[in-house]
Amino acid sequence: MSSPRKVVIIGAGPAGYVCAIRLAQLGQQVTVVEKEYLGGSCLNVGCIPSKAMIAAGALFHKIGNAGVMGITATDVKLDIAKLVEWKAGIVGKLTGGVGGLLKNHKVSVVYGAATFESDSTLRVSGEQATTLQFDAAVIATGSVPIEIPGFAFDEDEVWSSTGALAPKVLPGHLVVIGGGYIGLELGMMYRRLGSQVTILEATPGALPGQERDCVKVIERSLKKMKVKLRTETFAQGYERKGGESHVRIESKRGEETIVCDQILSTVGRRPYSAGLGLDEVGLATDEWGFLAVDETMRTAVPNIYAIGDIAGQPMLAHKGSREGLVAAGVIAGLKEAYDARCVPAVIFTAPEMASVGLTEEQCTEQGRAFVTGQFPFAASGRAMSLMETEGFVKIIADAESDELLGVHMVGPEVTELIAEATLAIEMGATAEDLARTIHAHPTLPEAVMEAAEAVHGMAIHIFQKPK
Ligand code: FAD
Ligand code: NAI
């Protein structure tokens, strides 16, 4: 076995810490430099805390709507401080767990901000200031929320997602700027907890870029929940008067003012490389701030790698973790490459939405002939028993070969159901393969099987006109 290489990883998010653990498993000498918190944005102020609070919102909503089942709960109250404390407990357990895993794998953790001095030396500033030599370095510095003019984050009057995950009081009226992933997940969560919510979105619809038939279901749900979605609308600025924020907006209707007590600005995230000293090693980011990498996660400097949000779209935790595993293997001398056929996307709206592979629009753009099959949750016994019958599963298959090209879902637990579709696409399965797989009854995944059957006009629990 060759002697271990000294590897420094900058950033301990789901890209960096996963890479570190795999490198240690592969016998390398690993140091992680982290300037804020183990677990990165994902564990501390992103995926985990948001999903905890969204789960609380869903439970609160369900309790309030269980009357039809004969369950009437009276005096159901929300203690927001307790909710935030519970969420912080989950974050603490997970970040502590990452610390324990790094320790057990003998990964050194140095707290401080890393700056390149050369292609073999890093300076760490902060309490544990030091200089580190490396054979290979991995940049896993993630991303930060974008600020728009007039709405500087103070996490008091104007929240970024970070402030929105640690509320001191429940907003009476929350104005959300940006109807993307975070705007919809947290906007719907606050609505379920009891706030009035208005979402301002620049484009003509919510969740730009996502499968439009699924988004239609989400937009209908917003209406039903009485969340106001104002599309083609831009926030210009706000004034604080008498404890309220007067938000000036511009849309086709002209200029208006919306009065609220809380603003959440969530218009996207940008890759983060400030203070890294990329110039010192001759690296530059592209116009969006991303570092270009090849399929082995190498940057233009052969011993420097980049993974996670800094290395390009989609900015999702699981994509970063996979890249971390690839970079670790390559650094340790294994033959590895990032060759995922697809990356699933899950959105924790109400109902949930999940997608993997191509949309119909993308198939058309690529000139691929395709067929589709769809199955509604309204026809699923399991969905009925959960009182969550909105939505459907849609399957897109190649018209000739029947190979699965894309699967899109909106409805109950679809953030879990998408795993089956992801595996199927990754394994090159056909719609027939999915249809012929026996699915346990009564379960939600039966909807995936029936959608696959529907591709060939063979779904049992919906009527399909013979072709
Ligand atoms: P990060 O998690 O951002 O970690 C980067 C780390 O690098 C940070 O800890 C930072 O302190 C450190 N760092 C930066 N610069 C330096 C430096 N110079 N020196 C030392 N350390 C440095 N994704 C999903 O897949 N599913 C979800 O449900 C989901 N929900 C989200 C909800 C919210 C509210 C937000 C904001 C994001 C969500 N995301 C979700 C996105 C997800 O959080 C990111 O894709 C993921 O965290 C990226 O991982 P990363 O390791 O690249 O970067
Ligand atoms: P986003 O890119 O998903 O959405 C931003 C939205 O803001 C877009 O709809 C855009 O059109 C709109 N917008 C931009 N400028 C605007 C303006 N001036 N006025 C009004 N609207 C404006 O970004 P978001 O929601 O901030 O999330 C960042 C990223 O974090 C996501 O793209 C995703 O990669 C990740 N994320 C993933 C989650 C998941 O996997 N479930 C959950 C949350 C975040």
Side-chain angles (χ1 to χ4, degrees), residues 177-178 180-182 185 200-203 208 266-269 315-316 346:
I177 307 171
Y181 270 81
I182 301 178
E185 284 190 358
L200 313 175
E201 166 56 39
T203 68
T266 163
V267 296
R269 291 177 67 84
M315 290 203 255
L316 298 175
V346 290

Side-chain angles (χ1 to χ4, degrees), residues 11-26:
Y17 83 75
V18 167
C19 183
I21 291 171
R22 176 53 52 86
L23 277 163
Q25 290 171 343
L26 294 169

Side-chain angles (χ1 to χ4, degrees), residues 13-317:
Y17 83 75
V18 167
C19 183
I21 291 171
R22 176 53 52 86
L23 277 163
Q25 290 171 343
L26 294 169
Q28 309 304 307
Q29 192 183 319
V30 194
T31 303
V32 171
V33 184
E34 170 53 54
K35 73 179 172 64
E36 208 167 355
Y37 29 41
L38 294 182
S41 307
C42 176
L43 266 61
N44 292 278
V45 293
C47 325
I48 297 298
S50 62
K51 268 78 254 185
M53 293 192 49
I54 289 165
L59 182 61
F60 200 51
H61 168 81
K62 203 149 200 173
I63 295 170
N65 286 271
V68 65
M69 278 178 169
I71 300 169
T72 314
T74 49
D75 208 22
V76 183
K77 284 193 204 120
L78 172 70
D79 178 340
I80 196 99
K82 187 95 200 221
L83 171 57
V84 171
E85 188 190 319
W86 170 73
K87 171 221 72 174
I90 295 172
V91 169
K93 272 186 206 136
L94 287 172
T95 54
V98 169
L101 286 168
L102 292 174
K103 197 171 166 206
N104 289 340
H105 283 90
K106 301 198 169 31
V107 171
S108 308
V109 178
V110 178
Y111 288 96
T115 307
F116 285 107
E117 284 187 337
S118 72
D119 61 6
S120 60
T121 320
L122 268 176
R123 184 164 32 83
V124 181
S125 52
E127 260 178 49
Q128 294 185 301
T130 183
T131 299
L132 299 169
Q133 302 288 326
F134 60 84
D135 300 316
V138 182
I139 303 172
T141 48
S143 62
V144 287
I146 295 171
E147 249 179 13
I148 53 170
F151 295 93
F153 300 127
D154 61 2
E155 305 303 358
D156 178 25
E157 290 168 10
V158 181
W159 279 341
S160 70
S161 50
T162 300
L165 293 170
K168 291 191 183 74
V169 289
L170 186 72
H173 181 192
L174 173 70
V175 165
V176 181
I177 307 171
Y181 270 81
I182 301 178
L184 283 200
E185 284 190 358
L186 298 189
M188 289 179 127
M189 181 269 284
Y190 271 105
R191 179 69 195 124
R192 282 185 149 182
L193 291 178
S195 301
Q196 185 192 333
V197 176
T198 304
I199 300 175
L200 313 175
E201 166 56 39
T203 68
L207 295 166
Q210 303 295 332
E211 212 274 341
R212 294 331 282 169
D213 286 340
C214 291
V215 174
K216 273 186 209 154
V217 174
I218 303 295
E219 290 184 342
R220 268 204 308 274
S221 175
L222 285 169
K223 248 192 202 141
K224 223 163 113 186
M225 293 168 86
K226 299 196 169 52
V227 171
K228 277 196 200 120
L229 172 67
R230 298 282 309 263
T231 54
E232 295 178 272
T233 302
F234 297 85
Q236 307 289 8
Y238 78 101
E239 281 82 43
R240 195 79 182 163
K241 293 181 205 160
E244 289 177 324
S245 294
H246 293 241
V247 183
R248 283 176 282 111
I249 62 168
E250 199 176 315
S251 69
K252 280 185 187 157
R253 296 191 213 165
E255 284 186 14
E256 293 164 75
T257 301
I258 302 180
V259 181
C260 66
D261 52 357
Q262 185 64 59
I263 299 166
L264 162 60
S265 177
T266 163
V267 296
R269 291 177 67 84
R270 63 177 168 79
Y272 182 73
S273 58
L276 257 185
L278 293 176
D279 289 353
E280 297 301 320
V281 287
L283 275 178
T285 56
D286 68 11
E287 58 180 316
W288 304 105
F290 293 114
L291 277 169
V293 288
D294 65 14
E295 73 283 1
T296 65
M297 308 318 297
R298 255 196 192 98
T299 65
V301 179
N303 68 329
I304 300 182
Y305 298 72
I307 56 175
D309 283 5
I310 187 79
Q313 296 283 6
M315 290 203 255
L316 298 175

Side-chain angles (χ1 to χ4, degrees), residues 4 46 82 88 91 96 135 225 235 245 332 339 348 352 367-369 398 459-460:
K82 187 95 200 221
V91 169
D135 300 316
M225 293 168 86
S245 294
D339 68 347
F348 292 76
E352 295 178 350
R368 294 192 77 149
D398 188 282
I460 298 297

